[in-house]
Amino acid sequence: MKSLSRRVTEIHPSMTVEIDTLAKRLSTEGRFIWNLAVGEPNFDTPVHIKEAAIRAVNKGLTRYTAPSGTQTFKEKVCEKLLKENSLAYVPEQIVATSGAKHAVFNAISAIVNKGDEVLIPAPYWGTYPELVRYCKGMPVLLECDIKDNFRLKAEQISKAITEKTKAIILNSPCNPTGVVYSNEELKSFAKVIVENDLYCITDEIYEHFVYAKERSVSIASLPGMLERTVVVNGFSKAYCMTGWRIGYLAAPEKLAKEIVKMQGQTTHHPSNISQYGAIAALNGSLESVFAMRQEFFERMSRMSEVLESIENISFFKPEGSFYIFVDVSAYYGKKTAGGAQISNSVEFCRALLDEQGMVIVPGAAFGRDSCVRFSFTASLPTISVVMPKFKEFVDSTVP
């Protein structure tokens, strides 16, 4: 057989998806698994959203829509962006997508040519560099240190820019670190981006999960940024609609038009039933979202309390999202109580699964092998039981 496309064979699989798949398989095989890996809220989709989708099905609203989504969906997204983010868009600038990940893919595909460099702060969501490579671009990683609480600095952007630099990808609140950039930080980024005529893809999927008093603005709202920014968002996290696969992007009209053309030749459009559910989400209140955020804050506090009691680890208490990124490299070179040798984040997580039935994500998935990622989307009782197991695991390691 002739060889397959290098574009496909050279892309790395999602480690977070692989780990969650493994956890689900082990559970079906009868093993009790404590899953603190998946970035999926453990709440149900609000009832009014489900009922709206059911009504759409019962009314026979199951036909094709325009590639960019229904007009009502796009109008509601425009209303949301103006009301919540101070961003003025028209429906022609909105593209409905099959989740926020699909929106990121569309944006990178429409912007990046072969050899173009894309700046990505690290640690990063593992999908970003893989999609840049898939589109024949070159991811340029901007390393953010734990001693700086994983915060990107404007000077790092400036120093990394070359004649090949095309765009930067920002994620605030950030997966995996929980960093939320302040308005002043975003202004400093925007200044460099505008001066160097870069595109900006800003992934704002965790926007409603901010635990600090100051709610960060969208970088697209800053001077000179709207015409060069693609705003990515969706309904998976805030409205517990992960399986509905519905997201969107907002972009300059010329760029949005090109993305619509591309989407018309690929997915065509996301599920129209999911679009009706999303419209109901935007028409409803944020009461359930705020209640969930408070619950996540309590879970994060409990998880942090246990982690703070462990001497040889370090972590930055998240300002947003629902992850804690923990440096466990002090345990590399040691053996676990079960006899496993630990030399990297993958071996650390594998031993933790084998010996405690606990699933977390290796930091290697996010470009930082010294760390591991905990998700606090599991229930508070689960976190209260499983975190002492983690402490027991690390405390029992020996040189």
Side-chain angles (χ1 to χ4, degrees), residues 179-333:
V179 166
V180 178
Y181 289 111
S182 69
N183 297 347
E184 289 306 311
E185 286 174 309
L186 291 175
K187 286 177 183 176
S188 69
F189 299 165
K191 184 174 184 294
V192 178
I193 292 168
V194 172
E195 287 176 350
N196 290 275
D197 193 27
L198 304 182
Y199 284 104
C200 177
I201 300 171
T202 174
D203 184 347
E204 301 179 2
I205 190 69
Y206 297 99
E207 66 168 335
H208 290 302
F209 301 107
V210 176
Y211 310 111
K213 290 182 179 179
E214 180 187 16
R215 186 174 182 273
S216 180
V217 301
S218 171
I219 195 170
S221 68
L222 300 177
M225 289 300 296
L226 194 66
E227 60 265 33
R228 66 183 65 252
T229 301
V230 180
V231 177
V232 170
N233 212 324
F235 299 82
S236 291
K237 312 299 184 181
Y239 297 99
C240 307
M241 296 171 68
T242 51
W244 295 61
R245 306 317 302 138
I246 182 69
Y248 61 88
L249 62 83
E253 192 165 349
K254 181 180 177 181
L255 178 56
K257 184 178 180 180
E258 295 302 311
I259 290 172
V260 171
K261 180 177 67 177
M262 178 181 67
Q263 185 157 289
Q265 296 287 14
T266 54
T267 60
H268 192 62
H269 64 81
S271 162
N272 59 346
I273 298 164
S274 295
Q275 290 183 61
Y276 287 112
I279 291 167
L282 294 176
N283 279 334
S285 76
L286 290 169
E287 184 178 339
S288 65
V289 181
F290 296 153
M292 186 165 52
R293 181 176 65 193
Q294 180 59 36
E295 175 68 17
F296 282 146
F297 178 77
E298 293 172 9
R299 296 175 186 183
M300 181 263 287
S301 299
R302 175 57 182 145
M303 186 175 282
S304 298
E305 180 183 323
V306 177
L307 291 171
E308 286 167 348
S309 71
I310 303 173
E311 290 185 4
N312 294 321
I313 66 171
S314 57
F315 69 99
F316 160 68
K317 201 167 185 178
E319 300 164 333
S321 76
F322 32 69
Y323 310 105
I324 300 182
F325 206 49
V326 181
D327 190 321
V328 296
S329 59
Y331 295 94
Y332 296 175

Side-chain angles (χ1 to χ4, degrees), residues 370-381:
S370 60
C371 297
V372 295
R373 191 194 75 176
F374 292 80
S375 171
F376 45 90
T377 55
S379 69
L380 188 58

